[in-house]
Amino acid sequence: SKIKNEAGKVSSFLTIQEGCDKFCHFCVVPYTRGPEYSRPFNQILDEAKYLAENGTKEIVLLGQNVNAYNDGNYKLSDLILEIEKISEIKRIRYTTSHPKDMTEDLIDVYKNSEKLMPLVHLPVQSGSDKVLDLMNRKHTIDYYLKLFNKLKNINTDIEFSSDFIIGYPGEEEIDFNHTLNLIKEVKFINSYSYVFNPRPGTVAANLDLIENKISSKRLETIQNQLYENQISMNQSLKNKIINVLAQNLTEDGTKIFGRSEYPPPPSDMCIFCIEPFSAVSPKFSNVSNSKTILSFVSPLIIVVCVSSCSKSKPSSVTIWWPAFVDDESVPSKRSWSLSPACTNIFAPLLGAVVNVSVAPLNVKIVFPIESVVCCKSLLTKSFISA
Ligand code: SF4
């Protein structure tokens, strides 16, 4: 089901900047949105505090050129470090960035911030300097890789995602191969990619198009590579503990989704990663007076979600695994019924940051005890294999 994303919920967008001065030859934004404009710093901070008071745990700072933010006194780095001080806010993200505006002060924030998520969405568009020049992108691949290396040196867990335009007029096979090689080198974990589509009024609007058959084939090739990167990223989570923000109910109110640190909104690829498909027997145990472990014994990575007949009356737990698990013989999900007495259990999980340990044989989710304090014994008694 589609995830609801109501304003004031766990994750909120906050626009800080609009417009663009870059004039990439394929893009209408500078014509439709006008020049870069940054909203006043204090106004944004007030809004961030208001969102926090109303339940927001994750703020996603938005702008067409978000990292060009500059209100005359403050830059994006200042904004992130100031929002970081709001105790209710657990996570900060920003999108969309331009490589040219990835300044040293912003890179340094990755050293100093506890709440800035380790996913850098930094559109590169092509892996070929020739094509980047034709696009008027104002950066080279060498420059992009320097940014990549600086960030990786700060924190090896930082991952990149990007946008790619395939079949831009003038893209030859060798240029395309540069793009493919860049995708392999950077290992982008989650990217948008599409065949060039001319926009009226832009410089690229009237250029000679590459044959559609060629562009489509190239797109398929890079999407396969991006998919491989994603699989290997997901598989690398095995045996690791990841933080998951219990984020939202699905539209029908029957499931809770959590989001790991990596997927950028608006992606709804999110995940309580666990795995079962042998007999999974959930068990609760206290590890301290502030933590409860729900553990599953099972052999693969999967997604765990909580089902309920309404937001406040959960009726079952459903566990299933995402598409990246290749074995088609594995059933796609398994459910356990909950006793009708288990009410108001899962709604409090929304907004909690949950530690999920992804292990092939013994998967544990650690909930803050206040989220499950009233339901531990009820749940333990009421799991019934479907
Ligand atoms: Fe500006 Fe981005 Fe459009 Fe380029 S692609 S003109 S940087 S909004």
Side-chain angles (χ1 to χ4, degrees):
S1 313
K2 217 172 140 212
I3 295 175
K4 270 191 201 171
N5 198 7
E6 295 169 7
K9 291 291 182 180
V10 173
S11 180
S12 296
F13 293 105
L14 178 47
T15 299
I16 65 169
Q17 182 278 343
E18 287 184 341
C20 180
D21 299 336
K22 307 279 191 306
F23 289 93
C24 300
H25 285 173
F26 53 82
C27 181
V28 294
V29 167
Y31 308 103
T32 56
R33 301 295 181 95
E36 286 171 7
Y37 162 75
S38 297
R39 297 182 59 215
F41 184 80
N42 286 329
Q43 201 181 80
I44 296 167
L45 272 188
D46 285 348
E47 285 183 13
K49 286 175 192 156
Y50 173 81
L51 288 169
E53 282 161 16
N54 286 282
T56 292
K57 305 291 179 196
E58 175 183 80
I59 287 194
V60 186
L61 301 170
L62 281 188
Q64 262 104 30
N65 261 267
V66 73
N67 58 345
Y69 176 84
N70 188 339
D71 79 341
N73 296 308
Y74 298 102
K75 299 174 76 178
L76 178 61
S77 53
D78 301 311
L79 205 42
I80 292 169
L81 292 173
E82 208 53 36
I83 291 175
E84 173 117 359
K85 293 178 189 160
I86 304 172
S87 60
E88 294 90 344
I89 300 298
K90 309 283 183 218
R91 291 180 169 189
I92 304 169
R93 301 177 190 271
Y94 61 89
T95 195
T96 289
S97 303
H98 190 287
K100 279 275 285 182
D101 294 315
M102 211 65 205
T103 46
E104 292 298 326
D105 57 300
L106 183 54
I107 291 172
D108 273 350
V109 176
Y110 286 86
K111 288 182 196 157
N112 307 323
S113 169
E114 305 258 306
K115 299 182 180 175
L116 183 58
M117 291 294 99
L119 180 88
V120 181
H121 181 67
L122 193 60
V124 65
Q125 306 298 359
S126 169
S128 154
D129 283 343
K130 183 193 94 182
V131 174
L132 290 176
D133 195 40
L134 291 172
M135 290 174 167
N136 193 31
R137 282 292 289 175
K138 302 185 177 78
H139 64 84
T140 61
I141 293 306
D142 186 51
Y143 173 77
Y144 190 93
L145 287 173
K146 280 193 178 119
L147 295 175
F148 171 74
N149 288 324
K150 276 184 196 170
L151 285 158
K152 277 287 192 187
N153 283 338
I154 290 172
N155 177 0
T156 52
D157 287 341
I158 290 176
E159 301 292 348
F160 274 56
S161 66
S162 181
D163 299 343
F164 294 95
I165 297 176
I166 301 305
Y168 189 78
E171 181 191 80
E172 296 175 281
E173 201 61 22
I174 188 171
D175 302 308
F176 170 70
N177 284 332
H178 288 322
T179 304
L180 190 58
N181 290 338
L182 183 75
I183 291 171
K184 288 179 186 168
E185 182 173 352
V186 173
K187 298 192 177 70
F188 297 98
I189 60 162
N190 187 359
S191 294
Y192 303 92
S193 54
Y194 48 93
V195 167
F196 170 69
N197 181 11
R199 297 297 154 100
T202 60
V203 174
N206 299 316
L207 299 177
D208 290 340
L209 294 180
I210 288 181
E211 202 183 321
N212 191 33
K213 215 168 89 188
I214 295 174
S215 301
S216 302
K217 181 74 197 139
R218 288 178 185 168
L219 182 68
E220 189 186 335
T221 304
I222 74 139
Q223 287 187 337
N224 285 342
Q225 184 57 49
L226 289 165
Y227 183 64
E228 255 183 53
N229 291 357
Q230 204 176 332
I231 289 174
S232 92
M233 171 69 192
N234 286 336
Q235 287 178 341
S236 75
L237 296 176
K238 281 185 187 175
N239 298 315
K240 284 195 177 160
I241 292 177
I242 59 172
N243 288 325
V244 173
L245 177 63
Q247 182 145 353
N248 227 329
L249 296 179
T250 51
E251 214 163 61
D252 59 5
T254 61
K255 298 178 187 74
I256 291 176
F257 278 78
R259 194 179 291 254
S260 77
E261 293 183 334
Y262 290 104
S267 164
D268 54 5
M269 180 191 82
C270 32
I271 328 299
F272 280 30
C273 277
I274 330 189
E275 152 34 5
F277 73 79
S278 63
V280 177
S281 57
K283 291 190 185 104
F284 281 94
S285 53
N286 283 338
V287 283
S288 72
N289 55 12
S290 66
K291 296 273 173 67
T292 294
I293 288 185
L294 170 60
S295 51
F296 295 80
V297 177
S298 58
L300 283 179
I301 294 183
I302 54 135
V303 177
V304 171
C305 277
V306 176
S307 294
S308 64
C309 45
S310 74
K311 187 170 175 177
S312 59
K313 290 194 172 103
S315 60
S316 66
V317 169
T318 303
I319 297 181
W320 76 97
W321 38 94
F324 61 77
V325 175
D326 291 335
D327 186 349
E328 285 175 9
S329 65
V330 175
S332 64
K333 66 178 180 180
R334 177 170 298 186
S335 297
W336 291 263
S337 300
L338 294 181
S339 134
C342 296
T343 56
N344 293 314
I345 293 171
F346 295 107
L349 277 180
L350 291 180
V353 177
V354 179
N355 295 328
V356 178
S357 154
V358 187
L361 288 173
N362 188 8
V363 178
K364 294 172 178 173
I365 307 181
V366 183
F367 295 105
I369 200 155
E370 62 272 19
S371 301
V372 288
V373 68
C374 62
C375 62
K376 187 176 66 158
S377 59
L378 284 174
L379 274 175
T380 309
K381 282 184 207 144
S382 60
F383 273 105
I384 303 162
S385 190

